[in-house]
């Protein structure tokens, strides 16, 4: 997992070409980016959506096998809860079509994304996104980069 401010994004360049493409994209994206999915180089996808954060994410934690996620909120703030995959209990088995399995457990580390902070979660990182910061739901606009694991 990587959690840092966008001003430090250069520290993470060079890990993989696909991750570089995703980091370049979020470093240049603005709040007026259109909702939808954009396919970039090296199989990287940018998924932009708007929604309201919530007090509870009924889906619980998720983890992927084929993709790492780079999560960046361009408007608003969101809490994402993270735990190492071995520390969560599987609730819904892996679905290859969705590249996701669902997990449940006690809260993990809380990361607030927005206001310039981004989060990278790898296949070993269970994460529970879409949560309200300080118990106050708010509208967000978020970019999730789906980065193929190389």
């Amino acid at each position: 997992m990587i959690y840092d401010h966008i001003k430090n994004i250069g520290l993470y360049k060079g890990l993989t070409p696909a991750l570089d493409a995703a980091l370049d994209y979020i470093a240049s994206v603005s709040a007026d980016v259109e909702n939808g999915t954009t396919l970039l180089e090296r199989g990287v996808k940018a998924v932009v959506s708007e929604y309201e954060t919530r007090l509870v994410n009924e889906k619980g934690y998720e983890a992927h096998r084929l993709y790492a996620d780079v999560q960046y909120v361009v408007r608003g703030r969101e809490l994402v809860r993270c735990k190492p995959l071995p520390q969560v209990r599987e609730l819904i088995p892996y679905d290859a079509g969705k590249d996701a399995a669902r997990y449940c457990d006690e809260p993990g580390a809380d990361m607030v994304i927005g206001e310039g902070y981004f989060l990278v979660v790898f296949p070993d990182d269970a994460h529970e996104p879409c949560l309200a910061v300080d118990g106050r739901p708010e509208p967000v606009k978020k970019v999730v980069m789906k980065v193929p694991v190389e």
Side-chain angles (χ1 to χ4, degrees), residues 46-109:
V47 181
V48 180
S49 59
E50 294 181 73
Y51 52 88
E52 186 160 304
T53 58
R54 45 191 170 257
L55 298 176
V56 176
N57 182 345
E58 297 82 14
K59 296 179 181 179
Y61 288 92
E62 64 183 48
H64 313 290
R65 293 183 186 170
L66 303 177
Y67 294 90
D69 282 357
V70 178
Q71 301 197 10
Y72 185 59
V73 173
V74 294
R75 187 170 51 240
R77 295 181 314 149
E78 173 179 316
L79 184 138
V80 181
R81 197 161 275 149
C82 298
K83 270 187 121 167
L85 194 55
Q87 294 180 11
V88 292
R89 187 171 38 92
E90 186 176 81
L91 185 62
I92 300 172
Y94 180 75
D95 179 334
K98 295 179 181 179
D99 185 39
R102 296 288 177 175
Y103 303 86
C104 63
D105 205 359
E106 296 300 315

